[in-house]
Amino acid sequence: MKFNRDQAIRVLRRFLVLFFCVWGLVWLSIRAVEKQPNDRNIVDKCLLAAASVPETVKLWFSVKSTGLEHQEFVMNTEPGLARLGELSDIQQLNNHLYLLYYRYEGTDTGSVYLQNIKTGEVAHTWHVPLRKIFEDIQALKQEVKADFEAQEISVSLHKRLPNNLAAIRILSPIIGDDMSLIFHCGVLGYMYKLDKKSDLLWKSEELVHHSIELDDDGNIWTCSVDLRHSLAKNLRFREDAVLCLDAKGKRLHFYSLSDMFSNNGLLQTLLEATPATTMPDGPYRDPYHLNNVLPVKRDGKFWKKGDLFLSLRDKSAIVQFRPQDGSIVWYQQGPWLAQHDINIVNESTISVFNNNVSFTSWDWSDIQGGSSNIAFFNFSDKTTEYFGNGLFVSTTEGRQTQTVDDWILVEETNKGRYLFIDSLGNVHCQFYIPYHNEPSHAMSPNWARLYLKSGSEFLLQE
């Protein structure tokens, strides 16, 4: 075949035209994303809709994919890693410790189990109304999306909500009065309470996220959001808040973090003077990232019953707030980094799950020393000691619970693993929750609770 110069030129011209058309569409799409929703014209909206097609197709075909979207971990076959309930050969493990955890069980079913860690005996099961929760999430997604597009709120939180039943997290379950069960559904959603027979008692009106804790009066303390907070709306950031509900799900207290800090002269320090993390799923900032609200149940040397300890991941800060007078009694940034889960150890010491993640890396992969740990902070001499270095890593999330035997149960949330570690730092056993249709895989941990059976009662271990 002879070389046709004119034909080659025509092909090159078509290629250049196609290249510049594609480049122009990309440039216009970027401009459309940067515009406020009400400023977008019909071309902008069409470009954004076209750009979302690949993600939509991915969601349609993601039903059996393995990964966090479906809360399934492929576990490493390391020595000593057992399934929950298959630890009878661990002689030193307490016989009366039970794990309260959620497991997805296929199609539209999921259950929360109270199960003996050592023997596997199930003391109680709650069947979660997963289909109703999914419908609630889809309605919420449409609501917050519409509010965002109408500029009623400034954060695009609808992109963070799950798209299928398997992805729904039944997070931070805790046993209430009369063997009732309290939980919420993950990144952002409603709180639910089931009775002993799994019948729904109530659903919260407020949106909640992260931890759930009970005080001595049976009131529920959790993390919430204030999507219409004026300062957050103007500056386009997510406003976290502290929420307290009574046992019937009615609101008792609500504290916006920005208001709390402003009233204590700390707004400039905790908001304005430090950079905010930009979330990858939308053009908004998450300056606080409240992940734990811990009510103090008894007086100590440095706190009073009724105080609250707050964990702010994106500030690497712990805050002691006193609702009685609205004061911030104490706060400290570091030496913990991106921390979770505060516990009160004794009258002068708290412990923190120290994820140990430096925000110097864009993907939060810079874990100091290559390990997470538990930080013990002593208020008396202002010193911090670290426990568990080299034993576990969780870039995000993570829990730590002390047992009656002075062991610590660590939930390595990002890896699907639980570890029992003694006071000398020895790992006595490690286990995982089997996935419903693949026992060699693990169900993603969802901030499980540890209970000690004493007679006919189950006592929360903290």
Side-chain angles (χ1 to χ4, degrees), residues 67-138:
L68 286 181
E69 190 173 57
H70 289 268
Q71 305 187 76
E72 182 180 0
F73 284 90
V74 178
M75 301 303 288
N76 296 325
T77 55
E78 53 187 282
L81 180 61
R83 298 173 192 167
L84 172 65
E86 298 181 2
L87 295 164
S88 296
D89 57 332
I90 309 298
Q91 298 297 323
Q92 293 174 289
L93 179 60
N94 192 300
N95 294 323
H96 305 292
L97 291 175
Y98 287 71
L99 194 72
L100 183 73
Y101 68 93
Y102 169 71
R103 186 170 72 177
Y104 173 67
E105 297 179 320
T107 59
D108 59 354
T109 60
S111 298
V112 173
Y113 293 94
L114 182 61
Q115 184 173 9
N116 188 288
I117 294 174
K118 193 169 185 175
T119 67
E121 174 254 333
V122 176
H124 197 79
T125 304
W126 295 263
H127 301 293
V128 174
L130 206 56
R131 174 62 61 179
K132 172 181 171 40
I133 293 172
F134 180 72
E135 292 170 355
D136 288 344
I137 290 173
Q138 300 315 302

Side-chain angles (χ1 to χ4, degrees), residues 157-295:
L157 294 175
H158 59 279
K159 297 182 180 181
R160 306 206 64 184
L161 301 178
N163 291 285
N164 57 67
L165 281 84
I168 295 173
R169 300 183 67 183
I170 303 303
L171 200 70
S172 198
I174 190 167
I175 298 173
D177 54 304
D178 299 324
M179 289 297 287
S180 60
L181 182 75
I182 303 164
F183 61 87
H184 66 80
C185 52
V187 173
L188 188 69
Y190 301 102
M191 186 180 294
Y192 300 83
K193 185 175 183 179
L194 307 181
D195 68 14
K196 185 177 181 178
K197 297 180 180 180
S198 303
D199 293 326
L200 180 63
L201 295 174
W202 53 257
K203 179 186 84 171
S204 68
E205 296 181 0
E206 298 81 4
L207 297 178
V208 302
H209 58 92
H210 286 91
S211 72
I212 298 174
E213 306 286 354
L214 300 178
D215 64 22
D216 278 347
D217 297 321
N219 297 320
I220 306 160
W221 292 88
T222 188
C223 312
S224 186
V225 289
D226 188 353
L227 297 180
R228 287 174 170 76
H229 190 278
S230 58
L231 179 63
K233 185 177 177 181
N234 290 337
L235 297 181
R236 299 188 69 189
F237 69 84
R238 167 178 167 149
E239 176 63 23
D240 278 327
V242 173
L243 171 67
C244 179
L245 304 176
D246 68 15
K248 295 182 179 179
K250 301 301 180 184
R251 181 199 288 199
L252 296 178
H253 307 287
F254 187 85
Y255 305 99
S256 152
L257 292 191
S258 291
D259 291 347
M260 182 191 302
F261 299 149
S262 178
N263 293 338
N264 285 272
L266 290 172
L267 188 64
Q268 187 174 36
T269 299
L270 291 176
L271 176 63
E272 298 172 0
T274 52
T277 304
T278 300
M279 300 302 291
D281 56 348
Y284 71 91
R285 298 187 302 154
D286 187 13
Y288 304 128
H289 200 100
L290 178 68
N291 59 37
N292 191 202
V293 178
L294 179 70

